[in-house]
Amino acid sequence: MRRIALALLASTMLAGTASAADLAARKAAAAAAAAPVTYGVNWTGFYLGGHLGYGWGGNDWTYEGLSTGSNDFDGFIGGGQIGFDYQFNNIVLGLQGEITGASLEGKTVYDNGELKNEASWIATLTGRLGFTADRALFYVKGGAAWTDLDNTVVAGGDVWKKSETRDGWTLGAGIEYAFAPNWSAFVEYDYYDFGDKNTVIGDTLVKVDTDVNAVKVGVNYRFGGASEPLVRKY
């Protein structure tokens, strides 16, 4: 009888231990399932920054719809940007305004003269769509673009020059990395197309088709963002 009692007591203790272990395992699994999901840094907020880079492009000339010519130009660029991003999960939507000073210059010499082009600034207003991975933001952007373009024709001893503001569109892509609280650095490629525009230089109707490519590096300071992790709970 004593042996039977001891056996029953032992089995009861073992069952209780197994139940406690199972309960602890279930609690740990539930806690893990309820744990928040962290998406690197939080990109939501306003930001302000600057950039430097290099630009190059081309100008195709058409005179009175008949004769044609072309002229490439290139040079250094630099300026600033301001914008706002909003992040949900690992998707980032944003709006950005940018002004870039430029020294894009070039000329083509022909028989009795030359063609010259110069762009002194480029401005854009674009939307951004990004995808985050830890501290990195991969993004594309696109929108409206404007530039100041000087077109000059030199023929013999005569010089004709026309300055005008051109409008067009832009597309670009880049990667931005949050390297410190509120600070991020980026590298970006942009393409600008200012289309075919008619202009009168001297007494000649000229159509000039202009496009520009640019590679930029820069930094941004984010007000209230990119410092605290973005957390989502299920």
Side-chain angles (χ1 to χ4, degrees), residues 45 67 71 77 89 91 104 113 118 139 151 155 162 172 186 208 215:
S67 58
N71 178 35
I77 59 176
N89 297 342
I91 302 298
L104 306 181
E118 180 179 358
Y139 63 89
N151 302 310
K162 182 66 175 291
F186 67 90
V208 182
V215 174

Side-chain angles (χ1 to χ4, degrees), residues 51-53 77 98 100 186-188 190 192 214-218:
H51 62 268
L52 294 172
I77 59 176
E98 183 178 280
T100 301
F186 67 90
V187 58
E188 179 178 300
D190 293 308
Y192 310 89
V215 174
K216 308 170 187 172
V217 294

Side-chain angles (χ1 to χ4, degrees), residues 35 52 62 66 109 127 141 168 189-190:
L52 294 172
T62 303
L66 299 174
V109 178
K141 59 187 289 189
Y189 165 78
D190 293 308

Side-chain angles (χ1 to χ4, degrees), residues 51-58 77 96 98 100 122 124 126-129 137-143 169-176 185-193 211-218:
H51 62 268
L52 294 172
Y54 187 78
W56 68 96
I77 59 176
Q96 183 184 85
E98 183 178 280
T100 301
I122 298 174
T124 62
T126 57
R128 294 207 309 173
L129 171 63
L137 172 64
F138 300 87
Y139 63 89
V140 294
K141 59 187 289 189
W169 55 270
T170 180
L171 285 176
I175 177 174
E176 190 168 356
F186 67 90
V187 58
E188 179 178 300
Y189 165 78
D190 293 308
Y191 173 77
Y192 310 89
D193 191 326
D211 60 13
V212 177
N213 302 269
V215 174
K216 308 170 187 172
V217 294

Side-chain angles (χ1 to χ4, degrees), residues 177-202:
Y177 186 81
F179 64 88
N182 300 91
W183 287 96
S184 61
F186 67 90
V187 58
E188 179 178 300
Y189 165 78
D190 293 308
Y191 173 77
Y192 310 89
D193 191 326
F194 297 103
D196 290 324
K197 299 294 172 64
N198 290 320
T199 185
V200 177
I201 302 179

Side-chain angles (χ1 to χ4, degrees), residues 102-195:
S103 61
L104 306 181
E105 300 178 2
K107 66 180 180 179
T108 298
V109 178
Y110 59 95
D111 292 341
N112 63 337
E114 62 186 21
L115 308 176
K116 294 182 179 180
N117 292 96
E118 180 179 358
S120 57
W121 57 263
I122 298 174
T124 62
L125 180 61
T126 57
R128 294 207 309 173
L129 171 63
F131 177 86
T132 66
D134 192 22
R135 289 185 167 271
L137 172 64
F138 300 87
Y139 63 89
V140 294
K141 59 187 289 189
W146 299 266
T147 188
D148 176 61
L149 188 66
D150 294 339
N151 302 310
T152 304
V153 177
V154 179
D158 298 321
V159 179
W160 296 277
K161 183 176 181 178
K162 182 66 175 291
S163 298
E164 58 185 356
T165 298
R166 302 278 297 273
D167 61 271
W169 55 270
T170 180
L171 285 176
I175 177 174
E176 190 168 356
Y177 186 81
F179 64 88
N182 300 91
W183 287 96
S184 61
F186 67 90
V187 58
E188 179 178 300
Y189 165 78
D190 293 308
Y191 173 77
Y192 310 89
D193 191 326
F194 297 103

